[in-house]
Amino acid sequence: MKQSTRMIAGLAALVLLAMTTFGLFILPGALSAAEGRYQGRPKVIVLLKENNSSMTFWKIVRDGAESAAEDVNLDLDIRGPENEKAVDQQIQQLSQAIRDKPAAIVLAAADFLRLVPGVKEAVRAGIPVVTMDSFIASDDALSQIGTDSVDMGASAARSLLKFATPQPEVAILSHIRGSSTARDREKGAQNVLEGKATVLPVVYSGADIDTAYRLAKEILGNRPNLGGILALNEPTTQGVIRALRESGRADTIPLVGIDQSFELLKALEEGVLRSLLVQQPFNMGYLSVVSVRHLLEHKPIPRSQDTGSIEITKENMFLPANEQRLFPFDEAKPLAK
Amino acid sequence: MKIRSIRTTLILSFMLVVILSILILGISSSLVFQRNLLENNQSSTLQLVGQLNRVLDGYIGYMEDLVLVAWGNSDVRDYFENPGNDQVLQGRVSVFLQNLRAVRGDIDSVFVARSPGEILTSEGKVGLNPYLDQKQLGWYKPYLKAGSRIVVSSARVENVLANRYTWVVSLALPSEDQKVVQVDLNYEVIRDLCRALQLGRSGYVYIVNSNGELVYHPRQQLVYSKIKEEKTSEVLAMKNGTLTTRVGDRTVVYTAATSTHTGWTVVGVSFLDEVYSSSNDVFTATALIALGSLLVAILLAWLVSRRISAPIEELRRSMQKIETGDFEIEITVQADNELYQLARDCNLAIKTIRELMLDNEREQENKRKQDLLLLQSQINPHFLYNTLDSIVWMCEMDDGPGAIKMTTALARFFRLGISRGSDILTLKDEAGHVESYLQIQKMRYGSRFEYSIAIEEGIRDALMLRLLLQPLVENALYHGIKPKDGPGRIEVTGRREGSNLVLIIKDDGVGMSGQVLERLKSHGTQVHIGLENVRERIRIFYGLEGGLSVTSTLGKGTEVRLTLPFLTTEVA
């Protein structure tokens, strides 16, 4: 009996030793490994309107999204068609994204109506969707993150009125007839200009620099009393700048544009362009991804988040806050480790 | 009361001790660990931030030297001092600036300005920005401070050159008449230095100048858009050191180091939850060790309790047998501790009980025998015949009152003598019994003897074993008075002496020789069976020896003295 007791006591000591070793040395490693697997970064697919990185706007959106992914610990897979007009390609890419079963999808819809079925399918598959920049005609997307286009159009019009003489004759050059941003920006501008200016019928450039140039040249030729021009997107603004510079009437005809590019900033310094309404694509990309993280953590997110627009003039373009917006450097560049 | 077995109690208390000690140990070590983690983290972050600060100072210092070198260059001075349009001189200055820039790869450009419109740059072929705003060229004006001559900008976009916007940190040395030497340091240098410092999983470093403007921040746009919040004013107020504060839903540890040279504050930002994340591992490990210890403790408790409770169980079974009356058992316990001693003591106790029981049986037997003897002596047929004969004789003699008196005495004698039931009676009744006996004998023997019974006042209700006096009185009468020639006297006295009741039967009969007396004391003879019976009954009832003593002188008489405990009803 005594012998067996001693044996059991020895066994107990051995068990204790093993447990301690396990607890102190093996477990923490195993746990952190398990934690890595368990907390493994959820994959989120970001489907942009275009993904060939030529457009500064989408480059900054990507940059914002990637910064956020790093901050909130998500894995991003950024996709998108060749250009903004390739709606069919984006519809196809959305179905592929659903098949890839990500934790969530961020969509910058290339078309207001045609992406709705795809989003509905994603929701049925249990994949939450938030829309960014351009939205869809459905409540299935859990949040809309982007610039309030009506507000932006109104701000552009207000800016123009500052530079123009009272009751000016104003030409509005819009981009794509029927697109939601064109419609909303026009609406905002018209609301502000009503009663304060004579607004010429809106013309559409199709988001093409040359078309915009031709249209602007035509208007400048036909309208000797023209007192201001509103250009509602970046290529359109570029075309108008060229026409206005050629006409030599930049001093009397203030031009206000929308969205940013190197050329537009040069024109701003030059004085041909009086002001520019810029969106905040970095914040748009960043907030979309942060919203996805909140969704995955079952935190409430607002249905609609306006990232706002900023009026840039020659005077304020080199203020620190604006320098960062206008001349962004690649913030999400992987940190040296 | 609910009975809980020793084993359960042992296991529970073992568990309690283990759990408590592990808990205290675990919590205290976790706390110490967490504190150490925080302290280590803070000191290492402070070190890193301080280091970055010194590296930046070194950089800026070097660039300042370049600015001073440019100011000291004779061509540059010539250019500044001679307003003419000397193309050769301007070419020499440009080449000098170009060479100066080439010294280091991290210089973006160098230029000198004689007036807002007259600028020479290190980028010879690249033209100047035709739309350059004079205000832009004077960027340094808000930074001008008394004392320091060279101005260091925060991060800014340089637009002096045509079609080029570059992020730089500019160093300018302006003169009072707006002549400027400016070196633009490639911003990427500073950005990369800051990015190289990673604090935890998502911690970072940022730099702010003394005006509160960001020199570098990894999320600069978010800060300007107020999407991201930094407690920069608090950090600037602190200048150097550590600040732990809540930002949004996280606790942030700010570590700041401020350069007296540039006025820049390098701020390390780390998150407390990330600092503590490894302490969770320690906690889990502690919990597992606790679980293991608990298992071992239960095992040990089970073993120890088995060693204790098994013998106790054995003891309990033996005791149960004893309860049923079996005193013949011997407890055998297999243990080498106090329980063995306990079992041995139990065995001794059982043995003693067994002996006592035997003693008791013997005593009871003896008592019965003595009671029987007493009874026999009480209903002694000779006494009865003689007494009845005396009554008959008195009747024949027409002595009615005598017969009545004797019959009454006989009746009282028997009522008190052979009453069943209690062994004890009052002294009054005992005396009454003896008196009845003496009355009867007196009537038979007439003048042969006299008697007296004297009981002290106040003790007549004392209690005593019954029928102690009569056998002694009978002895005195038959063996003391009867053999004597002439009349005799029997005196019975009773008194209290302290806690004793003393009863004395004294006669003035023939007495006994010392020899006879010795024999009488050593063991009872057939003749003195009454004396022996009284002695034995006193022993059994009162549990005392020597309650009866006899003194006798031959020819003078005998005195028997009973010394009994004084009992009253209250005590009984």
Side-chain angles (χ1 to χ4, degrees), chain B residues 304-366:
Chain B
V304 170
S305 68
R306 208 176 62 161
R307 285 194 51 181
I308 293 173
S309 69
I312 290 178
E313 188 59 24
E314 178 74 22
L315 264 175
R316 205 172 65 87
R317 268 199 300 276
S318 303
M319 284 301 173
Q320 272 173 343
K321 262 188 215 166
I322 292 165
E323 278 170 30
T324 62
D326 181 2
F327 285 94
E328 299 304 315
I329 59 159
E330 169 106 28
I331 302 170
T332 48
V333 163
Q334 287 175 328
D336 50 6
N337 46 28
E338 291 90 334
L339 287 168
Y340 172 74
Q341 292 171 333
L342 182 62
R344 204 185 51 195
D345 292 346
C346 278
N347 278 335
L348 279 176
I350 291 166
K351 196 175 151 211
T352 311
I353 290 171
R354 206 157 51 207
E355 280 165 5
L356 277 173
M357 279 171 67
L358 283 175
D359 278 357
N360 197 33
E361 271 171 40
R362 267 200 299 273
E363 205 81 321
Q364 288 296 328
E365 187 73 16
N366 194 15

Side-chain angles (χ1 to χ4, degrees), chain B residues 365-382:
Chain B
E365 187 73 16
N366 194 15
K367 186 172 182 287
R368 270 196 306 279
K369 206 169 81 189
Q370 296 301 331
D371 284 352
L372 196 65
L373 279 173
L374 183 69
L375 195 62
Q376 278 173 349
S377 78
Q378 293 304 306
I379 49 175
N380 183 352
H382 294 293

